[in-house]
Structure formats: C-alpha cells, structure tokens
Amino acid sequence: MNVLLIEDDKRISEFIVKGLEENNFTVHLAETGEIARDLIQQDIWDIILMDIMLPGIDGIQLVKLMRFKKNHTPVLMLSALSDTDDKVTALDSGADDYLVKPFHFKELISRVNALTRRTKFNYDKEETLYTLGSLTINPAEHKVTENDKLIDLSPREYKLLLYLLENRNKVIPRTQILNAVWGINYDNNTNVVDVYISYLRNKIEQNHKFIHTIKGTGYMLKEES
C-alpha cells in the first residue's frame, strides 16, 4: 500500500513512518503543504495521512484543493486539535476521517485499513448508478441529479446521501450514520446528523419526499408512495 504522510513534526513523522513500514506499508514523507501538493498531483496514493497545522498550505486548504480537482484519494487527518468544531471543519472540507494526537498506533492502522477497504469497494462498484425514483447518484463521477437536474452537494452531504441510498428502505439509527459517514465517535447528544439531513432535504426534495424521519430512531430513505 502506497501511503503519503504529510507531517512537519520530525519526532511524530519518524514514529509514524517506522510503524507503518513495520506493517508493510510503503511510506513517502512530505514536510510542507507545498511539497505534498506536488506529490499528490504527480503520483497515485492509496491513502493520505495529513496533519492540519502545516507550514505554508495547511491541511484544510490542501484537502479542499484535492476535492476541487476531483481527487478522491482517502484522507485521514491527524491533528492535536480535539474540539468537535475542528473535526467537523476538517470532515466538511473533504477529509474522510479524523484522528486526534496522541493516538494508539493500532487505531491508526485500523482506520487506514478501514478507509482503504471502503475505497476499494467503491472502485469495484464505480460503474454502478444508484437510483431512487427521480434521484440518481453516479459514484464514478460523484454526481447527483434529481429529474436530470444536477444538485450541488458538499463532500459530507454527498457521502451521507450515498450511504442512505446504499441502505434504501432500511431504518438507519443516528449512531450508525455517524460512524459510517463521519468516521469518528461523536458525543451521542450531537445533532450533526439532523443538521445534515436538513441540508439534504433542502437540496433534493424540491419535487418529491425521499428522507423519512423514524421517530426516536433515525432515518429511512425511500420514495414517497
């Protein structure tokens, strides 16, 4: 597995590189956002491990640039910033997961493996079109249309809709949605799922109702009968 590590702290980077190589990963280190930007454009990576606070281009700017250029390589943010707002900002900018420093190395390996498994699954199914009534998702192009009209979604809105569509006609608890879409363990009292469901409804339910609230449990995506 080809890993790009973006980290300017030498002590931390040496620890991560050593641990990854011991687990049979091939690791390339970039110590600035500018170097990382060039490497991302030049090579194909299985996963990118990225610090947020970098000299020059920071991690948030870098992942936004990647997603703007339609680069969907999985990104795991590694940061000492532990506030929920910091995590939400990173994930909404296009990161796939977020791990707070200091962390147990076994957890890092577990999250890397989970993200790469998920990406491989998506590549295997990239020719699939997900449809529900007039709603269509094209995973290969990361496009969502409703009645053939293109809908502009943020990376997190897109990921949430895709997960709901993959589990259509099933009741999905809020905690399950949190784990699958945000990839980190939020406080169970957070309302981030409800907020993003509201965002989605405003964008995709101009003509039909798709997202149904299951009181006390979560949500179900199904076409209104």
Side-chain angles (χ1 to χ4, degrees):
M1 190 180 297
N2 205 21
V3 179
L4 176 61
L5 172 63
I6 309 169
E7 173 61 69
D8 65 318
D9 187 309
K10 186 176 181 180
R11 180 181 60 84
I12 295 175
S13 64
E14 288 178 349
F15 164 72
I16 295 175
V17 169
K18 181 175 183 294
L20 289 173
E21 289 179 342
E22 287 176 353
N23 282 270
N24 300 316
F25 293 91
T26 300
V27 189
H28 194 109
L29 175 65
E31 296 180 335
T32 70
E34 287 82 1
I35 294 173
R37 177 192 58 200
D38 294 339
L39 289 172
I40 290 168
Q41 293 174 348
Q42 293 168 7
D43 296 296
I44 297 175
W45 306 95
D46 293 299
I47 190 168
I48 297 173
L49 311 182
M50 186 186 303
D51 188 16
I52 289 181
M53 295 180 288
L54 295 166
I57 302 172
D58 65 29
I60 299 297
Q61 294 172 314
L62 192 55
V63 75
K64 283 183 176 180
L65 179 62
M66 285 178 58
R67 301 316 187 211
F68 176 75
K69 294 192 173 183
K70 306 301 181 185
N71 184 327
H72 302 296
T73 303
V75 172
L76 171 56
M77 287 290 194
L78 308 175
S79 177
L81 303 173
S82 59
D83 288 347
T84 297
D85 287 347
D86 294 317
K87 298 175 185 178
V88 170
T89 296
L91 294 168
D92 285 351
S93 297
D96 296 279
D97 201 355
Y98 192 106
L99 189 58
V100 177
K101 301 174 185 176
F103 49 80
H104 292 287
F105 201 81
K106 285 184 178 180
E107 183 177 4
L108 174 64
I109 294 295
S110 178
R111 291 186 185 229
V112 166
N113 288 334
L115 283 174
T116 51
R117 278 197 308 269
R118 189 183 311 162
T119 302
K120 181 179 184 303
F121 174 78
N122 287 337
Y123 283 156
D124 290 343
K125 299 189 69 176
E126 65 179 2
E127 298 303 322
T128 301
L129 288 179
Y130 294 95
T131 60
L132 183 69
S134 58
L135 189 66
T136 301
I137 290 184
N138 184 333
E141 299 180 3
H142 278 237
K143 287 184 178 179
V144 179
T145 58
E146 203 274 317
N147 276 334
D148 296 325
K149 180 181 178 182
L150 187 64
I151 299 173
D152 184 25
L153 299 180
S154 71
R156 196 58 44 184
E157 290 166 350
Y158 172 84
K159 195 170 184 178
L160 173 58
L161 179 58
L162 181 59
Y163 183 71
L164 292 174
L165 202 49
E166 288 173 341
N167 293 275
R168 75 195 78 180
N169 301 319
K170 297 178 184 177
V171 178
I172 312 175
R174 286 176 175 82
T175 52
Q176 183 176 327
I177 296 173
L178 271 174
N179 290 332
V181 177
W182 276 261
I184 58 178
N185 294 319
Y186 274 80
D187 184 335
N188 287 337
N189 294 321
T190 182
N191 68 340
V192 67
V193 171
D194 304 302
V195 169
Y196 273 80
I197 289 289
S198 177
Y199 292 162
L200 270 184
R201 280 174 167 158
N202 288 335
K203 292 185 177 183
I204 71 172
E205 294 188 344
Q206 300 300 315
N207 302 298
H208 304 282
K209 183 175 178 62
F210 295 107
I211 303 174
H212 301 261
T213 302
I214 310 302
K215 190 173 181 180
T217 304
Y219 296 96
M220 175 190 291
L221 188 75
K222 67 176 183 178
E223 189 176 9
E224 190 174 39
S225 55

